[in-house]
Amino acid sequence: QWGYWLANSVQALTAWRRMPLQQSFQQLLRFVGPRSYSLAELLVDYATAQRRLLIRGVREGGLQTIPAPGVGEGSATGIAYLQGSEGLSDLGSMMARYLGEGAPQPDRLHLMELQREAPASHRVLRALVQGGAMNDVFRGSELYAQRQQWFQDHLRPLLTEINSTFASLAKRFEGFHSLGPQVEDLVVSAEMLSLRASHVLALYEYAAMCRMPTDTACASLNVAKAALRTAEALVQQRASQMGLERLGPGGHRLVLEWSEPVPTAYSYGYLWAAHTLFYWHREQAMVEQEIWDLCFRTINDPVELGLTGGGGPWARWMQSMAQRVLSNRLWHFKLSECLGPPTEPKRGETEEAIVM
């Protein structure tokens, strides 16, 4: 929470007073005393690394990452892989990739696009919407091979440098543990980003390179699990320090729990996804279960978000009927999950119906 305030405050201070970034940090951090200079210096290094690796995708030596074959320019940035996503957003970004000018969020090469070749139905749809010849459907192996090579040449080096860079920066933050709860918030945030970088690198290595149980890359799955467990412990520790009791009886529900849509039209508190590490668990499950399903674990409701007042009773009735037609005891179409989540997604959840 304090990290949000610091980011907003330093932007305002830099804009209004035209101060260098480090000087702005120093002024905001003057309450920590003599160590404000070294902490401000670290924050500048941190921001510089974020801009270079996460926003621009530039590796050591000025090497610019190039976009993945068949994917937008966002696939060459680190943030596209670290930010996480849910089912409806993934479906929207894929549609924008093939039908529009690209998604508003940075597009990425999905884990499932590296783990195995796209199903024939996906290749047919891609050929139809892009106006390609149907013989392009049979060239799926060629595109898959190109993406595998791109991963080795570009994405893996970028994710590896992100992992090592933010692990090193997180170590530097550890020296400021004793400066109070506000700075402690920054220390934990740095550790969480380092763990997320480790988690994503391990999952992508496993998805792209684990073909036989004896492959070295198969051990990456255990690395991802270890990063996830450590992050879960940190999240639980921080939750007890949020001061939610000051918000009254409903504070915990509004911030951390899954609930009925609130005025923002989301069915969860604004820190629910972070508190549950939803995006981490989703990607972990997709890799472990080899799930090729963009709508897997959708948490956003298209009717609630897209229509005024949540659509009204008729829109809700049509949504419910569509969900029942697409998913019932006899069959289950993957697209049904993008119509909205009926309940809170569970960790370790598996598909029980027949998947088509």
Side-chain angles (χ1 to χ4, degrees), residues 67-94 97-98 102-114 147 150 155 159 196 200 204 279 282-283 286 293-296:
V71 190
E73 293 184 2
S75 63
T77 67
I79 193 63
Y81 300 90
L82 268 61
Q83 67 184 2
S85 186
E86 55 89 46
L88 188 62
S89 300
D90 273 351
L91 178 66
S93 68
M94 192 67 75
R97 180 192 296 181
Y98 296 126
Q105 293 277 14
D107 197 3
R108 70 191 188 282
L109 187 63
H110 294 259
L111 284 157
M112 54 191 171
E113 293 179 291
L114 279 173
R147 287 172 170 175
W150 177 83
L155 182 57
L159 293 179
R196 177 58 174 163
V200 169
Y204 268 88
Y279 302 115
R282 179 177 185 259
E283 292 173 355
M286 294 182 82
D293 177 8
L294 291 170
C295 294
F296 178 67

Side-chain angles (χ1 to χ4, degrees), residues 93-311:
S93 68
M94 192 67 75
M95 292 176 65
R97 180 192 296 181
Y98 296 126
L99 298 177
E101 298 297 327
Q105 293 277 14
D107 197 3
R108 70 191 188 282
L109 187 63
H110 294 259
L111 284 157
M112 54 191 171
E113 293 179 291
L114 279 173
Q115 194 160 20
R116 58 189 175 93
E117 194 173 337
S121 58
H122 285 249
R123 299 200 300 272
V124 170
L125 181 62
R126 185 171 63 225
L128 289 174
V129 299
Q130 290 183 311
M134 289 308 294
N135 62 0
D136 289 344
V137 174
F138 304 103
R139 297 177 57 224
S141 297
E142 180 182 337
L143 180 60
Y144 179 70
Q146 290 173 352
R147 287 172 170 175
Q148 283 279 335
Q149 190 60 51
W150 177 83
F151 169 77
Q152 295 292 344
D153 294 343
H154 299 281
L155 182 57
R156 191 184 184 199
L158 176 63
L159 293 179
T160 299
E161 187 172 337
I162 289 172
N163 182 39
S164 61
T165 298
F166 289 105
S168 176
L169 287 166
K171 283 287 185 185
R172 290 173 60 187
F173 269 103
E174 289 179 1
F176 296 93
H177 263 296
S178 60
L179 294 184
Q182 294 89 349
V183 179
E184 177 72 14
D185 195 48
L186 299 180
V187 174
V188 173
S189 296
E191 186 174 359
M192 286 295 293
L193 181 56
S194 174
L195 289 168
R196 177 58 174 163
S198 173
H199 185 248
V200 169
L201 172 62
L203 287 182
Y204 268 88
E205 285 184 336
Y206 180 86
M209 301 164 61
C210 179
R211 293 295 173 262
M212 300 289 291
T214 54
D215 290 344
T216 306
C218 295
S220 297
L221 191 61
N222 291 328
V223 175
K225 289 179 179 178
L228 181 53
R229 285 194 297 268
T230 304
E232 285 179 319
L234 276 176
V235 167
Q236 292 302 321
Q237 176 188 344
R238 297 301 295 174
S240 63
Q241 302 175 31
M242 289 182 180
L244 297 180
E245 63 279 356
R246 293 196 294 267
L247 299 179
H252 197 275
R253 179 184 64 84
L254 287 173
V255 177
L256 298 180
E257 292 182 0
W258 185 276
S259 60
E260 290 299 315
V262 291
T264 59
Y266 295 102
S267 297
Y268 44 89
Y270 85 103
L271 289 181
W272 171 84
H275 178 66
T276 61
L277 295 181
F278 167 77
Y279 302 115
W280 302 44
H281 280 284
R282 179 177 185 259
E283 292 173 355
Q284 187 81 30
M286 294 182 82
V287 169
E288 289 190 33
Q289 301 171 35
E290 296 189 18
I291 295 173
W292 188 288
D293 177 8
L294 291 170
C295 294
F296 178 67
R297 293 190 184 171
T298 292
I299 58 173
N300 290 327
D301 187 327
V303 174
E304 189 71 42
L305 291 175
L307 300 179
T308 303

